[in-house]
Amino acid sequence: MGRGLAGMVVIIPAHDEQERLGRCLDSVRAAMDHLAGACPQVEAMAIVVADSCSDGTAQIARRHISEDPRISLQQVGYGNVGASRAAGARYALAGLGARMDPASIWLASTDAETSVPENWLAGFAELHARGADAVVGTVQPDRGELDEHLFNLWQQAYHPVEGHGHIHGANCGVSAAAYLGVGGFEPLAAHEDVALVASLRRAGYRVQATARVQATARVQATARMQVLTSGRLHGRLREGFADYLAGLEHQMLRAR
């Protein structure tokens, strides 16, 4: 895969996510396995940043670590998703960055309540090879957690097309060189993903908004580069995706 990509790191902030983290890590492990087949020269790892957890989140992470040495755990007490993502990036760069040029490292971000598709990391690698400094993907809420009418309302409001305007910490990635060039994630309680992308664009980096990854000889996945995230209406942080869904529910109830 072009442009000398050598390492990919998945950063997963988690706050009291013992019920959902296992599914997230299962999907990330499958994505790392797929990447190993598509891009065998790229070393992959995942970091769970357990922030101020009072449940079994860390224990779930440790179980996966015992099964897969590519996964590691950081426990922090920030109570802040921006600071958690930044801590994961620092940890990754202290490890891989000691052996690799930041220009050859890709930082992928998702959330503990999210499942990523098998081609997710290979998709990032493909877009990086085409010249992207950062990529923002799309999400879909788990329709099993949503009222059918609310899911339909979400579909009407959300448009997962190429060049979309959505930014989700649950589905984004950035070259470590670009990330460091703008100072990384800010310690914001919400919208740290939006702030990072805005900084990247102001600095002139190429940010690609994508819903699909085309098939190539090296990446054989053509599914949407879309992640499945929780459809809950009461999330772990204010102004997150759960609040957005709750706002749609409020609109739906008013319309009724």
Side-chain angles (χ1 to χ4, degrees):
M1 194 67 65
R3 298 183 69 203
L5 193 64
M8 299 191 79
V9 183
V10 183
I11 300 167
I12 310 168
H15 173 62
D16 289 346
E17 293 288 359
Q18 66 177 15
E19 295 180 1
R20 292 177 168 86
L21 179 60
R23 186 175 70 169
C24 171
L25 289 175
D26 284 341
S27 72
V28 169
R29 290 169 67 179
M32 291 193 292
D33 290 343
H34 182 81
L35 177 70
C39 309
Q41 80 283 9
V42 180
E43 180 179 343
M45 59 182 289
I47 302 168
V48 177
V49 185
D51 187 358
S52 307
C53 293
S54 59
D55 67 352
T57 295
Q59 287 86 340
I60 298 296
R62 290 191 186 100
R63 177 172 61 80
H64 281 265
I65 290 168
S66 71
E67 299 169 352
D68 193 330
R70 297 173 299 183
I71 301 171
S72 60
L73 170 68
Q74 267 196 306
Q75 291 182 269
V76 300
Y78 300 123
N80 180 290
V81 67
S84 295
R85 287 198 208 277
R90 284 195 304 273
Y91 182 87
L93 294 174
L96 290 183
R99 299 183 281 112
M100 302 175 186
D101 185 331
S104 71
I105 301 172
W106 187 265
L107 302 174
S109 174
T110 192
D111 289 334
E113 70 273 21
T114 299
S115 296
V116 304
E118 186 180 66
N119 72 310
W120 189 59
L121 294 177
F124 281 136
E126 169 70 3
L127 294 169
H128 175 268
R130 295 182 187 180
D133 297 306
V135 175
V136 289
T138 56
V139 304
Q140 177 176 306
D142 186 342
R143 63 188 309 164
E145 298 183 35
L146 287 179
D147 174 279
E148 181 181 353
H149 296 293
L150 180 55
F151 184 84
N152 290 336
L153 187 61
W154 172 82
Q155 283 189 308
Q156 293 169 23
Y158 192 89
H159 304 290
V161 297
E162 294 302 304
H164 62 82
H166 308 294
I167 299 172
H168 305 282
N171 189 6
C172 64
V174 59
S175 159
Y179 177 86
L180 292 171
V182 298
F185 286 112
E186 298 179 43
L188 301 175
H191 306 309
E192 76 293 341
D193 43 5
V194 175
L196 176 65
V197 170
S199 295
L200 290 165
R201 286 176 168 150
R202 282 196 302 269
Y205 290 105
R206 181 184 172 190
V207 179
Q208 184 161 343
T210 189
R212 289 185 181 275
V213 176
Q214 300 299 320
T216 71
R218 295 297 298 278
V219 181
Q220 296 298 327
T222 58
R224 285 187 176 184
M225 196 166 164
Q226 185 175 69
V227 301
L228 180 70
T229 198
S230 171
R232 63 192 177 194
L233 303 182
H234 303 285
R236 299 293 188 260
L237 57 89
R238 295 181 60 188
E239 301 181 53
F241 190 62
D243 279 359
Y244 170 73
L245 292 176
L248 288 180
E249 182 190 44
H250 182 66
Q251 293 177 30
M252 180 182 72
L253 293 174
R254 288 184 61 185
R256 286 179 176 176

